[in-house]
Amino acid sequence: MTAFPPPLRTPRKDPIRTVNTPATTDSGLWIRRFQPRPDSSVRLVCLPHAGGSASFYLPVARAMPYFADVLCVQYPGRQDRRAEPLVDSVEELADQVFTALLPWADRPLAFFGHSMGASVAYEVARRFEREKGIVAAALFASGRRAPSAHRHETVHLRDDDGLIEEMKALSGTDSRLLGDEEVLRMVLPAIRADYRAAETYAPEPGERLRCPVTAMVGTEDPKVTLAEAAAWAEHTEGPFDLKVFSPGHFYLVRDHAEVIGAMADRLRTALAV
């Protein structure tokens, strides 16, 4: 899958206070921690797009400043989890991610999700507020319309050729993968299940979040308009920002430095670090 390009290394500043770290550096199969920062003051949870995997966020883990410990979520049905049953519901994914993250809630949590991952991140943040009274340090919703901005989409009902055409149009999959029929057939079921989850997602009404929300979007994104991204403001009682980047659904690959910088700035403000 397409990934962020290799980032510039961020120098570590003066250490901050040490807090206890969970006994394990991995919560089963769900959480990948590529660049552990045991002295961090916040955990940034990154949730992949449809067809994406935890490794998409490896460069983010390396580039985020010293105060952020990046936890990358690995969904079932891909890479080392490819033999596991697929999950085709945003709500079910959120339930399982929420459970996997409980051991990591010893310090503030922030969430970044791209495309389908933004919907999952939103639902996980809701669960932490509702079930544990834990308000996220920040929610970054990237390349995804707000839950209140519904569209009727049926990409998940297309045949394999139609699904591949959609992937090419969004440029979210490495061209080498699209040219390898054997590998492509292995990942198409997971991609289809993710599209089904994203396109059938119907959020239940409820209390608005209390955390800061930053919507991130590329211009000319066929999956979300600027107005649909701005509608995320309706889903929080906290501060709201809209960040606009270069054209396309996967703007974050091209604008990786700006995206990471925007996240770091928001977290600094939220945590006063």
Side-chain angles (χ1 to χ4, degrees):
M1 297 297 174
T2 301
F4 289 97
L8 296 175
R9 292 189 177 275
T10 302
R12 183 184 174 91
K13 299 181 182 179
D14 293 335
I16 58 176
R17 66 181 182 87
T18 302
V19 296
N20 292 332
T21 303
T24 176
T25 57
D26 183 82
S27 292
L29 294 171
W30 285 90
I31 307 302
R32 308 301 160 90
R33 198 172 174 221
F34 299 121
Q35 192 82 23
R37 292 192 173 99
D39 296 336
S40 65
S41 55
V42 64
R43 302 196 192 279
L44 175 63
V45 182
C46 294
L47 296 110
H49 54 279
S53 60
S55 58
F56 180 79
Y57 292 114
L58 172 59
V60 178
R62 290 174 173 168
M64 282 299 293
Y66 70 99
F67 57 80
D69 188 20
V70 178
L71 308 182
C72 306
V73 174
Q74 183 80 311
Y75 303 139
R78 60 217 72 204
Q79 295 183 337
D80 58 332
R81 301 191 69 184
R82 62 182 178 274
E84 297 181 44
L86 298 167
V87 179
D88 60 1
S89 161
V90 165
E91 291 83 353
E92 179 61 26
L93 277 172
D95 285 342
Q96 296 193 41
V97 172
F98 167 70
T99 299
L101 285 173
L102 288 175
W104 300 95
D106 60 327
R107 66 196 70 182
L109 295 172
F111 300 95
F112 176 89
H114 182 66
S115 198
M116 179 192 76
S119 297
V120 180
Y122 168 70
E123 288 293 340
V124 175
R126 295 179 84 185
R127 282 154 176 74
F128 269 102
E129 285 200 11
R130 183 177 65 237
E131 305 295 334
K132 297 295 180 180
I134 296 175
V135 178
L139 169 66
F140 301 99
S142 168
R144 181 67 171 167
R145 59 189 177 273
S148 56
H150 178 72
R151 287 190 191 184
H152 178 68
E153 296 178 308
T154 57
V155 174
H156 69 281
L157 298 177
R158 297 181 186 178
D159 60 15
D160 287 353
D161 290 342
L163 192 56
I164 293 170
E165 181 182 354
E166 170 77 4
M167 293 157 60
K168 288 181 177 179
L170 292 179
S171 300
T173 303
D174 194 309
S175 60
R176 292 168 297 179
L177 173 61
L178 291 173
D180 189 326
E181 182 175 351
E182 182 178 357
V183 174
L184 186 56
R185 289 188 180 278
M186 288 175 58
V187 301
L188 275 178
I191 295 171
R192 186 179 302 281
D194 287 353
Y195 266 90
R196 184 179 297 112
E199 294 180 342
T200 61
Y201 172 53
E204 295 182 0
E207 296 294 325
R208 296 196 296 174
L209 293 174
R210 289 181 284 159
C211 66
V213 173
T214 299
M216 298 178 163
V217 62
T219 60
E220 302 175 26
D221 184 343
K223 288 296 183 181
V224 53
T225 66
L226 296 183
E228 289 172 328
W232 277 100
E234 303 169 7
H235 297 274
T236 184
E237 296 178 357
F240 174 77
D241 290 314
L242 175 64
K243 302 290 186 183
V244 181
F245 298 91
S246 59
H249 187 62
F250 279 90
Y251 71 88
L252 69 173
V253 176
R254 184 185 304 109
D255 293 351
H256 65 284
E258 291 82 356
V259 172
I260 292 169
M263 288 193 289
D265 288 345
R266 165 50 68 188
L267 292 175
R268 286 191 185 97
T269 299
L271 301 167
V273 295

